[in-house]
Structures are given as structure tokens and as C-alpha cells.
Amino acid sequence: MDLNFFVSEIRKRTDFVPRMGIVLGSGLGAFAAEIETESAIPYEEIPSFPTSTVDGHRGRFVFGYMEGVPLVLMEGRVHYYEGYSMEEVVLPVRLMGKLGAETIILTNAAGGIDERLSAGSLMLIADHISSFVPSPLRGKNDDSLGVRFPDMTNVYSPALRRLAKEAAEKLGIPLPEGVYLQVSGPNYETPAEIRAFRTLGAACVGMSTAVEAMAARHMGLSVLGISCISNMAAGISPSPLSHEEVRENAERAGADFKRLLKEIIKKAGKENE
Ligand code: HPA
């Protein structure tokens, strides 16, 4: 994967330099309507760029401003379960970093394991468990991005987490912190798996964010992660899980999510002035 090729493809289309990159997860794409858009680039217009095949993921970069902060949004991401390699899965995050983003905000829909969570609520990612999926850093290391053996002690920036908690408190939105565990999907988990994950310390489970966070950290970006709890995980919820339920609940949490994200961007923008 030649990252510089993709940078030049984007640069043929826009010279916009974002300071922040935001990945919008399942059902959260509506946030893109909130920014003052400068330009939008559908993934399929970028030659050989991995495109999302999942319902609920629109698949484009949106460049623009929110609260005066120049940012790039990924409306829809690609997942490992779609058949892409991990290197392809993290390409868009690396690209946002190469285009100028210093901070990456990763959002997702996730299944709640911790009983403090409920469908439609939000969770701040304190840390993650990625041991059930391959590392996106496997293979020859690109030394221009980062070191071979990167430290993962603070994947999710303590400063950004503090800022997110302050923003949530100001808005009166509950934002408990917890550990996100990544699985490969596309199937949802069995109740036995969820019990095992709880024992391991996971508060929620999803199919995307940990590897993106690792790739971002590898290249020295500051990362914030927010999970939208779209359903309680298998065996906790009495009903079978469905993608429709996941999307509906993610959209239900959308109003809180939009307000919170806006406030975080505002605060982060001020701190970096
Ligand atoms: N499990 C895994 N990934 C998910 C879930 C889930 O229950 N809900 C949304 N993404």
C-alpha cells in the first residue's frame, strides 16, 4: 500500500489541510451534515481505495470546518470482516494523519457488556483489547510513520479523555469510561464469548476501532475514542441481535453524540490555539 500515492490522489482534489480527523461509525454518519463543508470525496473516486460494502456506511471523506476547526470526516469506514487486510483497514486513518490531522477521533457502534451501559448510551474508550484480531502493524515497518515496536500504554490520550469528560459533564450527557474489545466479526458473539470478554475486563465489544487507534498511535497522533452502545451484547440482551437494531439505536444516540462531539471539537480547538 503506497500511502504517498493516496495522499497525491487526494491532493489532486483538494488542498484542504485538516487539523483533526474524525471517523464516523455505523449510524453516526449524520454528523457530516453539521460541518461547513469545503469539499467531499467519495472513496470510489480514489483509485484502488478500499470502499465500504456495509449498509449504513456512505463511504466518503468530507473536508470542512466546525467551530472554526479545520477537519476531515470519514463518513463510513472499511472493516476487516469485509475481507480487507488490516493494512487496508487502517489506510484511511493513516491518510488523515498524512494530510495534516494531529488528532483522530474514532467513533463506532458497539455492544455493551458492562451493566452501566444501555442501548443508546455513549462510552468513552479508556483502553482497548486487540488481541483477538491481527495487528495492523504486522509486516515491514514504515519507519517514516513510526517505530517497529511502538508503546501502547496510552493509546487514548489522557488529555483528550479529560476534555471529553468535561464536555460531557457540561452538557449533562453520561459518559462512563471503559475498555473496548475488538473482534473480527461479521457474526455477533456468543453469550459464552461475551462472558469471557467481561472476565477479561471489556466493557464493550465492536468490530473496528482498536486497530485504527493503534495505527494512529504508531504515527504519533493523539487519539480519542467514543463508542455508541447500539445494543447490549449477546446473552445480556434477551433478544437476538440484528444490524437494523444496531443502526436504529446508534441513530437514537445520535443527538447526544452530535452535541458531545461538537463540544469536544470546540474545546480541543481552543486548547490548540
Ligand atoms: N458485537 C460486536 N460488534 C458490535 C456489536 C456487538 O454486539 N454491536 C455493534 N457492533
Side-chain angles (χ1 to χ4, degrees), residues 109-112 183 187-189 194 205-207 228 230-234 241 246:
V183 289
N187 53 283
Y188 292 112
E189 301 68 41
I194 294 301
V205 59
M207 303 176 191
C228 170
S230 51
N231 56 281
M232 288 310 280
L241 304 183
V246 166

Side-chain angles (χ1 to χ4, degrees), residues 126-141:
D127 200 349
H128 72 224
I129 296 170
S130 73
S131 320
F132 295 94
V133 291
S135 170
L137 308 179
R138 177 175 176 269
K140 189 171 176 342
N141 187 56

Side-chain angles (χ1 to χ4, degrees), residues 18-45:
R19 243 173 59 210
M20 207 182 269
I22 304 178
V23 183
L24 299 170
S26 289
L28 301 172
F31 186 76
E34 302 278 312
I35 78 165
E36 283 166 55
T37 304
E38 290 278 315
S39 63
I41 307 176
Y43 301 152
E44 72 244 21
E45 278 186 14

Side-chain angles (χ1 to χ4, degrees), residues 236-259:
I236 299 177
S237 151
S239 54
L241 304 183
S242 74
H243 185 56
E244 288 64 45
E245 179 200 0
V246 166
R247 271 182 62 184
E248 274 168 29
N249 284 323
E251 277 163 24
R252 197 152 60 81
D256 275 354
F257 172 78
K258 273 189 214 166
R259 288 166 59 225

Side-chain angles (χ1 to χ4, degrees), residues 8-89:
S8 68
E9 284 297 322
I10 299 268
R11 285 294 171 237
K12 282 183 197 164
R13 293 162 176 82
T14 180
D15 56 7
F16 192 90
V17 178
R19 243 173 59 210
M20 207 182 269
I22 304 178
V23 183
L24 299 170
S26 289
L28 301 172
F31 186 76
E34 302 278 312
I35 78 165
E36 283 166 55
T37 304
E38 290 278 315
S39 63
I41 307 176
Y43 301 152
E44 72 244 21
E45 278 186 14
I46 309 167
S48 59
F49 196 80
T51 54
S52 175
T53 58
V54 196
D55 230 21
H57 290 266
R58 187 153 174 199
R60 56 178 198 159
F61 286 113
V62 182
F63 295 86
Y65 294 89
M66 177 173 270
E67 303 287 348
V69 180
L71 39 89
V72 53
L73 297 180
M74 275 176 67
E75 208 179 327
R77 54 156 59 90
V78 292
H79 302 82
Y80 187 58
Y81 62 72
E82 293 176 76
Y84 292 111
S85 69
M86 276 306 182
E87 199 183 358
E88 288 169 314
V89 165

